[in-house]
Amino acid sequence: MTNNESLRYKGMRKRLVEQIANRGILSEKVLLAIGKIKRHLFVYAGSEHLAYKDIALNIDHKQTISQPFIVAYQTELLDIQPRDKVLEIGTGSGYQACVLAEMEAEVFSVERIEKLHEKAKIFLPKIGYEAINLHFGDGFEGWEEQAPFDKIIVTAAAENFPAKLGEQLKIGGKMVIPIGPQGEVQKLMFYQKKDAKTFLCTEASNVKFVPMLKGTK
Ligand code: SAH
């Protein structure tokens, strides 16, 4: 890439950050992460010019890289602290995992589509994110061997609260997940675990995510 090109992307990233801040994201750390990560590397060749628009974009296997505002919003809700153990369900392109890694979380990300998982496993270390832990499997099962987690972020829409994820969250832990019918508008839900059986629940906003599906592919 030429120097000019990389300067151009840097300028576009800066404007994206301004836009997200204007929409209400206050966390400096989240904004810094969005301002640093080269989203144009995560999208299809030929779509790079769209990478810094605040929109979701297609990736392989009919999946999407979430809209940057939603990535920022979910991350801000979780109030990520350095060394937090964070479970992500839906690795997809790996972009959200990189945002968490930039915030110094210890990231564990699960993907059910093997080809996307394999792609992320090669791509993320290549762009400098060697420490992100990736697992191929059904996110409804969480990541038992690594549990419990301080925070859990689900980046696909579930019809109901996935019980195992609740079990794998620490007491006091936070979880953010879109819940609602597939292919329609869902509610972004925020949970805080009070004790083994009690979750405080808040409804955040309307969102539209690809479905969280059972099994692997
Ligand atoms: N966080 C991603 C967004 C990916 S879209 C990013 O930043 O790019 C949602 C992803 O969730 C898709 O890759 C989809 O395959 C995955 N997914 C859906 N159901 C899943 C499940 N049960 N377990 C793990 N991943 C799942």
Side-chain angles (χ1 to χ4, degrees):
M1 185 184 303
T2 65
N3 228 357
N4 266 350
E5 247 177 340
S6 95
L7 271 179
R8 196 157 52 87
Y9 285 130
K10 205 172 163 189
M12 288 163 92
R13 264 199 302 282
K14 190 162 169 256
R15 282 191 293 281
L16 174 65
V17 168
E18 284 162 6
Q19 208 179 333
I20 290 174
N22 283 337
R23 285 196 63 189
I25 300 299
L26 300 171
S27 163
E28 269 309 311
K29 277 169 64 184
V30 173
L31 294 173
L32 277 173
I34 302 277
K36 186 162 171 203
I37 301 168
K38 296 179 174 147
R39 192 169 185 259
H40 65 272
L41 300 179
F42 293 73
V43 304
Y44 281 132
S47 294
E48 291 94 341
H49 64 292
L50 300 173
Y52 298 106
K53 294 201 180 298
D54 193 15
I55 52 174
L57 290 168
N58 292 332
I59 56 171
D60 291 333
H61 306 282
K62 295 202 200 119
Q63 302 305 319
T64 55
I65 172 171
S66 308
Q67 179 191 348
F69 172 76
I70 295 294
V71 171
Y73 188 41
Q74 282 192 290
T75 311
E76 183 169 71
L77 282 171
L78 287 178
D79 187 27
I80 302 293
Q81 301 298 321
R83 288 181 302 284
D84 265 355
K85 210 168 170 183
V86 183
L87 174 67
E88 178 192 28
I89 305 302
T91 310
S93 70
Y95 180 78
Q96 171 75 67
C98 293
V99 171
L100 297 166
E102 279 297 334
M103 301 185 70
E104 300 175 77
E106 205 187 334
V107 185
F108 296 84
S109 184
V110 180
E111 172 56 55
R112 71 177 285 275
I113 299 179
E114 191 165 18
K115 287 196 174 130
L116 285 177
H117 162 76
E118 292 298 335
K119 194 171 169 188
K121 218 166 74 180
I122 295 167
F123 174 62
L124 296 183
K126 212 162 91 185
I127 60 164
Y129 295 96
E130 296 88 359
I132 294 175
N133 304 286
L134 299 172
H135 172 64
F136 166 58
D138 180 354
F140 281 102
E141 301 298 320
W143 191 337
E144 190 75 55
E145 301 76 32
Q146 295 294 344
F149 298 95
D150 297 290
K151 314 278 163 76
I152 298 180
I153 176 169
V154 182
T155 66
E159 294 194 307
N160 299 297
F161 182 83
K164 285 217 174 129
L165 298 185
E167 285 166 21
Q168 293 179 17
L169 192 61
K170 282 187 194 168
I171 307 285
K174 294 171 179 169
M175 174 163 159
V176 60
I177 175 173
I179 294 194
Q182 296 185 359
E184 291 175 39
V185 171
Q186 303 101 23
K187 294 276 180 204
L188 191 62
M189 305 297 282
F190 174 79
Y191 294 90
Q192 188 157 20
K193 188 167 177 175
K194 288 293 161 193
D195 60 47
K197 291 210 170 94
T198 324
F199 293 82
L200 258 185
C201 167
T202 327
E203 204 176 285
S205 61
N206 288 337
V207 286
K208 201 163 179 193
F209 276 81
V210 295
M212 181 170 177
L213 300 172
K214 292 224 161 74
T216 55
K217 195 178 138 182

